[in-house]
Amino acid sequence: MKKTVTAIFDIGKTNKKFFLFDEDFQEVYREYIQFEETEDEDGHPTEDLSALRNWLKSVFDRILKTENYEIKAINFSSYGASLVHLDENHEVIFPMYNYTKSIPQEIIDSFYEKYGPEADFHRKTGSSSAGMLNAGMQLYWLKHTKPEVFAKIRYSLHLPQYLSYVFTGIPLSEYTSIGCHTALWDFEKKDYHDWVYAEKLDQLLPPIVSTETSINMNYNGKRIKIGVGIHDSSAALLPYVRSLSKPFILISTGTWSISLNPFTDSLLTAQDVADDCINYMRINGKPVKAARLFLGNEYSIQVKKLAKHYGVDAAYHKQVVFDPEIHYEIHKDFEPLFHWETIDDPHMPDKTTLRYTTFEHAYHHLMMELVVLQVASIKSAKGTMPIEKLFVDGGFSDNEVYIQLLSHHFRTMELRTTDSSLGSALGAAICISDTQLNSKFLKKNYSMKKHIPFIVN
């Protein structure tokens, strides 16, 4: 007898994942793939949309034919700050520009001259000035630098909604993608910001539907419920919000480490803006106060350098376990040694100095410095709220050194980690189900672990 399942595509910048979950949200199947990036017209690396689209279709069509599973629903989670542009024939035009691509400063300056001041704009939209990471700024840049091709755009879809569009052919928008530092949404008036209408960009953005919307379709002869997609950070947050009643902070880790506080009931303050806090959005349109840190990206850069310097295998860092003696040695004479390449830090030295003879010592020092930055980020998201619980999911939940150091810094808070691979995918599955969650859900489905801070001698 076939097992009834929900299919989820969870599309990260590096790993593209496919999951099947049963009716109890237990994972019953997964597969991963990675694609070589392609380049835009300026030679900047970007997602190979054609390869991605072909993989989505081939995987789903193959699973539909299997004798083991009956797929009742499919949904999509993926990273934000990325737009796919369709012409009037619904063909993709432009590459999907990478959010790491820079926008000329004069374009950004001209934007804030028209629609600033910047601090007030940041407060209303929950979006700091971050170039391509503001998806709205991508549209503004295209309109004012490539007007001939821009004029051909009929729809601009956020990436999660494009993934859904591949299967439905219906262009839509939804709240979590609009609300993830796009600079498009005005959290005060709960609508697109005035600048979107002034630039007539609202005409390119498809109708907004609830994130829980699904479309019942006949797909290859099968009756399937197809979700509209969800931004990955909002998806990762959903199981916690649905199953816990007491306030918490979720640190969703990966390329970005994002500290999410879904319990804020006010707009960003001037101090929040000064601390570079931003807003994400819950599926019901409510703001989520967030602080971002380019942790995973910087970590990858630095561990490659350490591996080369100490002559160890590139994956050796995964074997390092936390050593309290090493921590003590470093802590008693601690000073910053690492110069970051992708994080702004006023306390970092002008260049990296490696004064240790072993990889383990240098690695512990690296993690101690990165966790100091992480702690500051968490405190920004927390503000003055009395929050006693911290949850960590994503890639760093498996990093023992990171977790031990974090639990040490937050000794008075309860810190728990969850299964690193499931967060966004499980959230996307829950989003299109009618199931009510209870407090036991996280323990049962997330292999949740509680961490006790180490004792300093």
Side-chain angles (χ1 to χ4, degrees):
M1 187 171 162
K2 289 187 175 184
K3 185 182 280 285
T4 302
V5 294
T6 296
I8 301 294
F9 283 102
D10 184 22
I11 305 303
K13 278 185 78 68
T14 304
N15 292 311
K16 322 300 176 190
K17 308 170 191 175
F18 176 75
F19 295 96
L20 295 177
F21 295 104
D22 68 15
E23 292 175 294
D24 294 320
F25 298 106
Q26 294 292 314
E27 176 197 329
V28 295
Y29 179 83
R30 74 166 75 182
E31 62 179 274
Y32 286 28
I33 196 170
Q34 294 182 356
F35 297 121
E36 289 291 322
E37 289 183 308
T38 183
E39 292 182 346
D40 65 21
E41 67 273 17
D42 300 318
H44 196 85
T46 190
E47 191 79 63
D48 188 336
L49 271 187
S50 179
L52 176 59
R53 188 169 54 242
N54 291 340
W55 178 73
L56 294 170
K57 288 279 200 176
S58 65
V59 169
F60 194 61
D61 291 351
R62 167 164 47 83
I63 296 294
L64 272 183
K65 292 172 185 169
T66 181
E67 297 298 314
N68 301 329
Y69 304 111
E70 185 72 43
I71 297 177
K72 65 168 185 178
I74 178 173
N75 204 5
F76 315 86
S77 68
S78 90
Y79 60 93
S82 304
L83 293 169
V84 180
H85 309 284
L86 308 177
D87 66 14
E88 61 182 12
N89 299 316
H90 290 200
E91 297 292 329
V92 175
I93 50 174
F94 292 120
M96 188 182 81
Y97 292 107
N98 195 324
Y99 63 58
T100 60
K101 186 182 177 79
S102 61
I103 291 178
Q105 190 58 44
E106 59 266 24
I107 296 288
I108 294 170
D109 291 344
S110 76
F111 179 87
Y112 285 110
E113 277 172 28
K114 283 190 204 171
Y115 304 113
E118 187 177 324
D120 188 53
F121 185 86
H122 180 166
R123 190 182 62 78
K124 285 183 178 177
T125 62
S127 304
S128 59
S129 178
M132 283 282 194
L133 271 167
N134 306 132
M137 196 64 80
Q138 295 184 30
L139 283 168
Y140 184 84
W141 166 73
L142 282 171
K143 180 179 178 181
H144 293 280
T145 60
K146 303 175 189 288
E148 303 86 2
V149 195
F150 178 84
K152 296 177 182 175
I153 298 176
R154 177 61 193 92
Y155 290 113
S156 290
L157 299 178
H158 297 275
L159 180 56
Q161 284 64 66
Y162 174 70
L163 302 175
S164 174
Y165 172 83
V166 167
F167 292 87
T168 66
I170 301 171
L172 294 168
S173 302
E174 60 75 45
Y175 287 112
T176 68
S177 296
I178 295 167
C180 71
H181 53 78
T182 60
L184 291 168
W185 195 254
D186 186 325
F187 283 85
E188 234 172 29
K189 67 174 193 165
K190 299 177 183 174
D191 189 4
Y192 287 124
H193 191 281
D194 291 346
W195 84 266
V196 177
Y197 295 104
E199 297 284 337
K200 296 186 169 54
L201 299 184
D202 58 299
Q203 297 171 17
L204 308 181
L205 300 167
I208 303 171
V209 297
S210 161
T211 314
E212 295 171 288
T213 301
S214 57
I215 299 153
N216 290 304
M217 290 190 67
N218 187 313
Y219 185 87
N220 286 5
K222 309 264 186 177
R223 197 75 183 157
I224 294 174
K225 186 164 77 168
I226 302 179
V228 299
I230 180 171
H231 179 256
D232 54 9
S233 295
S234 298
L237 185 62
L238 188 60
Y240 298 87
V241 171
R242 287 271 179 95
S243 57
L244 297 170
S245 55
K246 290 186 177 178
F248 62 84
I249 300 279
L250 173 64
I251 305 124
S252 180
T253 64
T255 302
W256 286 90
S257 175
I258 305 166
S259 301
L260 298 156
N261 176 0
F263 298 94
T264 183
D265 53 7
S266 60
L267 295 175
L268 296 181
T269 65
Q271 185 58 51
D272 292 332
V273 171
D275 290 342
D276 200 31
C277 285
I278 57 171
N279 281 335
Y280 284 76
M281 208 187 283
R282 287 167 65 166
I283 62 173
N284 59 6
K286 287 186 176 178
V288 175
K289 187 179 175 186
R292 288 175 310 181
L293 182 64
F294 217 6
L295 186 75
N297 191 70
E298 189 65 44
Y299 175 88
S300 297
I301 292 168
Q302 298 296 341
V303 292
K304 279 178 191 166
K305 289 182 174 182
L306 289 186
K308 185 177 179 183
H309 181 84
Y310 289 99
V312 299
D313 184 80
Y316 183 71
H317 63 101
K318 296 177 183 177
Q319 302 172 30
V320 180
V321 294
F322 179 72
D323 187 327
E325 293 297 324
I326 292 178
H327 174 267
Y328 175 73
E329 286 176 40
I330 297 170
H331 186 264
K332 65 183 181 182
D333 298 312
F334 186 79
E335 62 175 317
L337 297 182
F338 287 88
H339 179 83
W340 312 127
E341 291 195 16
T342 59
I343 295 175
D344 289 326
D345 176 10
H347 306 296
M348 68 181 176
D350 292 335
K351 65 176 185 176
T352 298
T353 305
L354 297 174
R355 64 189 185 194
Y356 301 107
T357 55
T358 69
F359 180 92
E360 283 76 7
H361 277 72
Y363 181 80
H364 272 69
H365 196 119
L366 169 68
M367 293 310 299
M368 287 167 71
E369 287 198 43
L370 287 174
V371 168
V372 166
L373 298 176
Q374 180 68 88
V375 168
S377 183
I378 293 166
K379 286 180 176 176
S380 292
K382 179 178 178 292
T384 57
M385 292 185 69
I387 295 175
E388 297 173 1
K389 291 179 182 287
L390 279 179
F391 295 98
V392 180
D393 80 2
F396 279 88
S397 66
D398 294 329
N399 185 313
E400 189 202 345
V401 181
Y402 171 87
I403 293 299
Q404 286 284 2
L405 291 170
L406 201 59
S407 66
H408 177 64
H409 277 279
F410 291 104
R411 292 184 288 285
T412 60
M413 297 178 77
E414 181 183 304
L415 188 150
R416 294 178 185 262
T417 56
T418 59
D419 185 296
S420 65
S421 61
L422 294 180
S424 299
L426 205 46
I430 290 164
C431 187
I432 57 165
S433 83
D434 301 319
T435 308
Q436 295 294 312
L437 305 186
N438 60 36
S439 58
K440 295 177 183 174
F441 177 83
L442 292 172
K443 189 173 182 182
K444 179 182 174 187
N445 293 72
Y446 272 53
S447 310
M448 191 165 280
K449 294 181 215 156
K450 187 175 181 178
H451 296 270
I452 309 298
F454 66 90
I455 306 296
V456 178
N457 294 324

